[in-house]
Amino acid sequence: MTAISHSTPTTAERPIISVRDLRVLFRTPGGKDPIRAVDGVDFDVQPGETLGIIGESGSGKTSLGRALVSLITPDSGQILHDGLDPTTLRGARFRAHRRDYQIIFQDPSAALDPRMTVLDSVAEPLAIVRAADDAARRREALAMLARVGLPRDLAERYPHQLSGGQKQRVNIARALMLRPKVIVCDEVVAALDVSLRGEILNLFADLQRAFGLTYIFITHDIAVVSHISDRIAVIYLGKLMELGAADAVMGEPLHPYTQALLSAEPLALPAALRPKRRIMLEGEVPNPAAPPSGCRFRTRCPVARPRCASEAPLWREVTPGHSVACHFAEVAGRPQRDAILSTSMQK
Amino acid sequence: MEAATGHAAPMTTGPSGQTCGIARTELLDVRSLSVAFRTPHGDLPVIRDICFTVAAGERVGIVGESGCGKTVTGLTVLRLLPERSLRLSGRIIFGGRDLLTLSARQMRALRGCEIAMIFQDPTSALDPVFTIGDQIGEAYRAHFPTTRKEARERAIAALASVGIPAPERRCDDYPHHLSGGMRQRVMIAMALICEPKLLIADEPTTALDVTVQAQIIELLSRLSERMKTTLIFITHDLGVVAEICTRMITMYAGEIVEDAPVDDVLVTPRHPYTAGLLRSLPGLAARRSALPSIPGRVPQLGQMPKGCRFQPRCQHALARCAKPQTLSEFSASHHVRCTRAREITLAGVVTV
Ligand SMILES: Nc1ncnc2c1ncn2[C@@H]1O[C@H](COP(=O)(O)OP(=O)(O)OP(=O)(O)O)[C@@H](O)[C@H]1O
Ligand SMILES: Nc1ncnc2c1ncn2[C@@H]1O[C@H](COP(=O)(O)OP(=O)(O)OP(=O)(O)O)[C@@H](O)[C@H]1O
Ligand code: SF4
Ligand code: SF4
Ligand SMILES: [Mg+2]
Ligand SMILES: [Mg+2]
């Protein structure tokens, strides 16, 4: 794939982000092998969609998210932004380009400067790129604060005078000031209570409609990801296990890991309505510096076979728009899940 | 009793019939417990008129949003808060004794032995300079004097019972060698080593992945069943309560607003706040639809409405809600702090 000029208009055919064989490694002082945080990942993001990324702690979600917005440089592979490779840009062009790709993090307090008022924090991105004059920046910041549902009188407050939900709204307003095309949302509602969580998720949906935003929504909360995503990617130890339409991944997961993850979610349902059987995964996520050979899920996979240790499963489209990395994905979802459930019941 | 509640609420069949009564043989009976923190600007009341009982073998979930007083309730039962900076009233009857009347020394003998607690953050609860085997062994020796050798053997057995592989080896590990899930298992092993009658678990799975959370929930259910441990499970995750508990207590702004069997309250909540919590769960709404939320915010400590504390946010509020509400009997096992509980029909997680 070659870089295409930035001025070409975005069409539904051209992904707004294209990821090819992406690797992000971390070298730690003591360890001889690098941590393989993201270890060969391929996917596309279409303009205007919400792609959910789900996986356990340490699976590489944040590393992937940071790479997507050029906050870390990939060790190998490529990320194209609307056909353009941002690593080829320098100086002012790079900074201008990055405005289109923003990220919002989990902890709303850590992201805000405690010495700056809400209004200054929100206006700051414009000041950094030297857009508009002071008064115009203030006007825009106030309009954006109103847009994310913050009352006018909060503008002069400092972060410590805000609730968690209010702080997260300030962060969202700040990210929107540069009118990005894409926002990576990294666990943005994890720290919020259920009732607030709904409000913020609704706000994200409204803003997407209003500004035509594309979201990469990173979370480990299955209910949240399933609610807001058009498509869902499941990541384990730096590799994608499954990617498909939200309904397909949630309703008919094809990968044993997805099946286990979904069945582990505690449901607020009365006993009579709760599924009786659960796929219980043994142990925890292995060391990402030395992932298992073959399929990296094999050490916890309830249906692993000898082939899984010797041969890494191919990442392939099993049905149109639904990709899976498991040797036995074609065996189809339900029979396979039932096989897992009956084997785990026998124990 | 009435005097201790501190307000002139009419004593109907409610609290006296249920929570503050005599009916069952209760392991724990918390009566009109109120806690305020003393500050330079006056007392800051955090929990008020908390009444609930827990029968032996029950598994009770305490839910509610951040800051509603769940942890303070748990810590007060164990008397783990700095009492010099508190104003405490009410009674905590455990095994026939009022814990609030015990000396510090008597409390130490009870804590960890008859009542144990597990915290959300196992890292801060474990001492980084001692091996986990030493710490579990010491938890045992604090109550049952024995040799180091026997304490170590018990620690190994306890580690095995919480599913730690190669416990003879793991016993000599320091806390920082373990993952979050493993540390939480160690905490459970330590909490259960003296076979307490009551275990208070405060958000023990909140920091863990769902897969590891499922393991810990399964472990806690299994052990509490086998050892006949009564469980109080503090969490904000209603799904976790549905999985593990038999009863659910909902707290709002420092008060209990509803107390009912889990399956009952999930299907037919009787308090508007509980119903609001259930409705805002993303799993229940159609994908990509707007999620219902509870308008407004929890009132600030010290600025609580005089009447129903939920009134400013309640869509069912009437003039009479401005009077203080009592936790009253809706049915024998279901108690609600809402004057309109019998008049309004609220949706639960399933439509019936
Ligand atoms: N700056 C860093 N230096 C060294 N290792 C790192 C760094 N950032 C991440 N890692 C490691 O890379 C792996 C992936 O981490 P990452 O933060 O991307 O996971 P995650 O999926 O976001 O997890 P969580 O759900 O806990 O946020 C982990 O093993 C982590 O310890
Ligand atoms: N030592 C203290 N001094 C003053 N106020 C305190 C103290 N500890 C807790 N509080 C306040 O008491 C209230 C209840 O706190 P508590 O920790 O019990 O809430 P919680 O329901 O456990 O919340 P979370 O879900 O966030 O853990 C909060 O408003 C809190 O700020
Ligand atoms: S390839 Fe093998 S180990 Fe991996 S998920 Fe499929 S069955 Fe399990
Ligand atoms: S007492 Fe009134 S305001 Fe309070 S929850 Fe009931 S109906 Fe709503
Ligand atoms: Mg992360
Ligand atoms: Mg708490």
Side-chain angles (χ1 to χ4, degrees):
Chain A
M1 208 177 284
T2 52
I4 305 163
S5 136
H6 193 48
S7 56
T8 324
T10 301
T11 62
E13 288 76 51
R14 202 176 62 225
I16 195 154
I17 296 183
S18 239
V19 179
R20 292 292 171 267
D21 201 25
L22 179 73
R23 285 194 166 74
V24 176
L25 312 180
F26 292 106
R27 281 162 196 87
T28 48
K32 26 181 214 316
D33 299 318
I35 292 167
R36 316 187 72 82
V38 180
D39 201 14
V41 157
D42 291 82
F43 64 92
D44 288 341
V45 185
Q46 300 304 331
E49 77 164 333
T50 300
L51 173 68
I53 299 183
I54 191 155
E56 286 171 277
S57 183
S59 56
K61 305 184 294 298
T62 297
S63 308
L64 174 60
R66 289 164 57 94
L68 290 181
V69 298
S70 312
L71 277 179
I72 7 183
T73 316
D75 289 79
S76 69
Q78 196 178 38
I79 296 171
L80 295 181
H81 284 167
D82 206 2
L84 178 87
D85 182 349
T87 60
T88 62
L89 301 176
R90 292 287 171 270
R93 277 201 68 204
F94 177 66
R95 283 195 298 275
H97 172 80
R98 261 188 52 186
R99 291 161 59 170
D100 287 345
Y101 294 80
Q102 296 285 324
I103 186 165
I104 305 175
F105 291 104
Q106 160 169 8
D107 183 359
S109 323
L112 295 172
D113 186 334
R115 294 155 308 179
M116 275 166 87
T117 64
V118 165
L119 185 62
D120 289 342
S121 274
V122 173
E124 190 193 29
L126 286 181
I128 293 173
V129 300
R130 294 192 207 91
D133 58 49
D134 239 26
R137 287 202 291 261
R138 280 179 60 93
R139 268 200 312 280
E140 276 215 42
L142 283 171
M144 194 55 82
L145 285 172
R147 188 68 193 77
V148 299
L150 285 172
R152 172 72 183 78
D153 59 306
L154 289 184
E156 302 304 330
R157 291 208 199 162
Y158 290 89
H160 74 268
Q161 296 165 312
L162 302 179
S163 72
Q166 290 168 335
K167 275 186 266 197
Q168 199 56 288
R169 282 174 195 267
V170 174
N171 267 316
I172 296 167
R174 200 175 130 89
L176 284 171
M177 282 304 277
L178 297 172
R179 304 295 159 132
K181 294 181 182 154
V182 175
I183 303 184
V184 174
C185 305
D186 189 358
E187 306 275 11
V188 285
V189 294
L192 305 176
D193 269 315
V194 266
S195 66
L196 259 179
R197 194 173 289 185
E199 263 177 56
I200 299 288
L201 291 177
N202 292 343
L203 173 63
F204 273 110
D206 290 348
L207 295 171
Q208 182 168 48
R209 273 188 293 272
F211 296 106
L213 292 166
T214 304
Y215 290 141
I216 319 280
F217 216 95
I218 294 173
T219 172
H220 58 258
D221 188 322
I222 294 161
V224 166
V225 85
S226 127
H227 184 77
I228 55 129
S229 306
D230 298 303
R231 292 190 303 147
I232 294 175
V234 182
I235 184 169
Y236 184 78
L237 270 183
K239 266 196 173 313
L240 291 189
M241 299 286 115
E242 182 157 8
L243 170 64
D247 286 314
V249 174
M250 288 290 140
E252 290 286 322
L254 296 177
H255 196 286
Y257 178 59
T258 315
Q259 294 166 356
L261 205 57
L262 296 187
S263 97
E265 196 201 7
L267 298 174
L269 288 175
L273 295 175
R274 239 175 303 127
K276 286 282 168 302
R277 300 177 300 173
R278 156 170 285 167
I279 307 165
M280 194 64 85
L281 284 189
E282 305 287 327
E284 292 169 39
V285 182
N287 177 5
S293 65
C295 172
R296 32 193 82 185
F297 182 53
R298 70 174 168 84
T299 53
R300 299 169 82 198
C301 179
V303 290
R305 280 162 242 188
R307 180 181 168 196
C308 306
S310 55
E311 196 187 326
L314 226 52
W315 175 244
R316 61 196 185 278
E317 206 166 326
V318 171
T319 59
H322 197 158
S323 298
V324 185
C326 167
H327 290 309
F328 311 106
E330 282 79 3
V331 183
R334 200 164 281 292
Q336 189 181 359
R337 179 169 42 187
D338 289 347
I340 298 176
L341 286 167
S342 57
T343 49
S344 57
M345 288 307 284
Q346 283 157 15
K347 281 193 297 208
Chain B
M1 268 293 308
E2 280 83 347
T5 54
H7 63 84
M11 293 300 275
T12 53
T13 52
S16 48
Q18 177 242 193
T19 43
C20 304
I22 8 119
R24 303 177 296 178
T25 44
E26 311 294 1
L27 178 66
L28 179 71
D29 183 353
V30 176
R31 305 187 185 186
S32 293
L33 184 68
S34 297
V35 175
F37 287 99
R38 294 172 199 252
T39 74
H41 320 288
D43 290 356
L44 208 56
V46 287
I47 57 172
R48 199 190 68 102
D49 190 26
I50 298 292
C51 287
F52 66 95
T53 60
V54 184
E58 254 191 321
R59 302 208 291 246
V60 178
I62 301 185
V63 303
E65 291 176 276
S66 187
C68 70
K70 306 181 295 293
T71 297
V72 166
T73 303
L75 292 175
T76 310
V77 169
L78 274 171
R79 286 188 49 199
L80 280 173
L81 289 170
E83 289 181 3
R84 249 168 293 133
S85 57
L86 292 185
R87 197 175 295 280
L88 256 172
S89 65
R91 296 209 273 164
I92 302 169
I93 317 286
F94 175 79
R97 289 187 294 180
D98 183 353
L99 299 186
L100 292 181
T101 64
L102 298 190
S103 68
R105 187 207 189 103
Q106 288 170 310
M107 267 321 285
R108 268 199 303 278
L110 198 100
R111 229 183 270 136
C113 183
E114 290 187 62
I115 313 180
M117 187 153 177
I118 316 176
F119 300 92
Q120 169 169 356
D121 178 12
T123 320
S124 61
L126 289 169
D127 192 327
V129 303
F130 292 102
T131 66
I132 55 169
D134 279 345
Q135 294 186 56
I136 300 173
E138 277 313 305
Y140 184 75
R141 272 156 57 94
H143 299 285
F144 302 98
T146 176
T147 61
R148 280 184 182 283
K149 189 162 170 295
E150 202 211 316
R152 183 184 160 86
E153 275 156 20
R154 285 195 177 262
I156 292 172
L159 286 173
S161 76
V162 295
I164 299 223
E168 311 78 14
R169 209 153 35 78
R170 271 334 207 1
C171 196
D172 299 320
D173 279 353
Y174 290 89
H176 69 267
H177 292 145
L178 306 175
S179 68
M182 288 288 184
R183 278 196 284 251
Q184 204 51 282
R185 284 174 192 266
V186 169
M187 289 304 301
I188 294 172
M190 198 146 94
L192 293 180
I193 185 117
C194 296
E195 310 207 347
K197 295 199 185 90
L198 175 65
L199 176 65
I200 302 176
D202 189 357
E203 311 259 14
T205 61
T206 304
L208 305 174
D209 276 313
V210 276
T211 54
V212 181
Q213 169 172 281
Q215 297 169 2
I216 299 289
I217 289 178
E218 202 264 341
L219 175 70
L220 270 176
S221 308
R222 192 159 42 78
L223 290 181
S224 70
E225 219 146 278
R226 198 183 76 207
M227 296 163 77
K228 308 251 178 305
T229 314
T230 305
L231 197 60
I232 294 181
F233 201 101
I234 295 172
T235 177
H236 59 262
D237 189 331
L238 298 167
V240 170
V241 172
E243 296 263 333
I244 198 169
C245 298
T246 49
R247 231 171 82 213
M248 177 167 117
I249 291 177
T250 311
M251 288 185 72
Y252 180 77
E255 294 180 334
I256 291 178
V257 294
E258 186 156 9
D259 179 346
V262 169
D263 285 1
D264 216 0
V265 71
L266 289 176
V267 179
T268 50
R270 301 295 179 188
H271 195 283
Y273 176 65
T274 316
L277 275 187
L278 293 174
R279 217 178 38 222
S280 55
L281 295 175
L284 298 176
R287 174 163 310 138
R288 312 224 63 189
S289 63
L291 285 167
S293 61
I294 306 171
R297 296 281 171 270
V298 182
Q300 298 275 308
L301 288 180
Q303 293 171 20
M304 289 296 166
K306 291 228 165 16
C308 171
R309 294 188 166 184
F310 189 56
Q311 186 187 5
R313 304 172 74 186
C314 182
Q315 62 182 98
H316 303 282
L318 294 180
R320 69 176 196 271
C321 304
K323 284 200 298 241
Q325 303 294 315
T326 49
L327 189 64
S328 310
E329 188 172 293
F330 186 88
S331 69
S333 61
H334 200 143
H335 291 74
V336 192
R337 193 185 288 273
C338 170
T339 175
R340 302 202 63 203
R342 285 183 196 283
E343 301 157 24
I344 50 183
T345 310
L346 300 164
V349 293
V350 281
T351 33
V352 279

